Amino acid sequence: MPEAGRKRPSRLDRERALRRRRAAALLVLAAIVGVVLALTLAFGSGGGKGGAPRTGTPVTLDVGKGPKKHAQQAREKLDELSQRAVTHFAEIGLPVYCGATKKKMVALTFDDGPGPYTAGSILHVLRKRHARATFFLVGRRIQNWPSIPKMETEVGAVGDHTWNHAELTGLDENAMKSEVEDAQTAVAQATQRPVTLFRPPYGARDGAVDREVASLGMVTVMWSLDSLDWQGGNWKELVARVLQAVRPGSIVLMHDIHPNTISAVWKLVPALHHLGYRLVTVPELLALDPPTDRQLQRGIDGCPGNVTSATAG
Ligand code: NI
């Protein structure tokens, strides 16, 4: 009824009551709209076109967008599998040299950083090409490039390469332990993640080193293909050497502190993709194409067609 139709002062109370009822009705309506909206946000985004099963768990808005959501779920699942694989191999306590060689995957590894070329070049090409890699950091170098380790976790895995790039087998036990532990702490602080991968400088390890690394919950990662970038050849030779020797499951040793390596990676990543290789981190390789017990026991000889060097790293 229009307000204009109620002019008699004796109806004042009734008009006030009417206004109160209208206000109450509006409140109820607003509450119903609110509940419907909340239910739509909580359950509606889980349905999708294919009617995916609803778990009843509220889904946040930013991941409820088709392919992006699936990509994020796949990434989280692979991260979980990778962590489990690393824990498994750390418990076995034998160094890893390559994958099972059954899948066309390669793990590029970059040692001795972080350095001046890491963020601008290596991380850039990996991001641009949707490739992933593993970085083994020298603890004392992190203070010069403190923000890089965290950036590296966005395109790959990050491990311990000792505090001072020490040849561990030449040190007494306390010094050896400090080298490994101090770097593990520094890398963990810089990445804000647990550090579960270790690579000994020069590949130098013995029983005491292996026990120390295992006691810290890390797996020792060696390599099956030495790019020999540390010898200083030009980048074209480096690319040719890796492409000629690469096999499914190869773990490739490189160093992101040499200009020739930086130039090579720009060619190497697309060339490996062109050959059909997927570029993964070491933990991903251990999850997706894990080496067998027999391979682990044979060490480098468990990696067919390996091209390696005993003195690099
Ligand atoms: Ni090294």
Side-chain angles (χ1 to χ4, degrees), residues 111-112 161 165 201 255 313:
D111 289 11
D112 300 359
H161 195 46
H165 205 265
H255 301 79

Side-chain angles (χ1 to χ4, degrees), residues 28-64:
V28 170
L29 192 67
I32 291 170
V33 169
V35 168
V36 168
L37 208 64
L39 285 173
T40 308
L41 291 183
F43 297 108
S45 53
K49 277 181 188 170
R54 291 172 178 181
T55 59
T57 310
V59 178
T60 50
L61 278 177
D62 58 339
V63 294

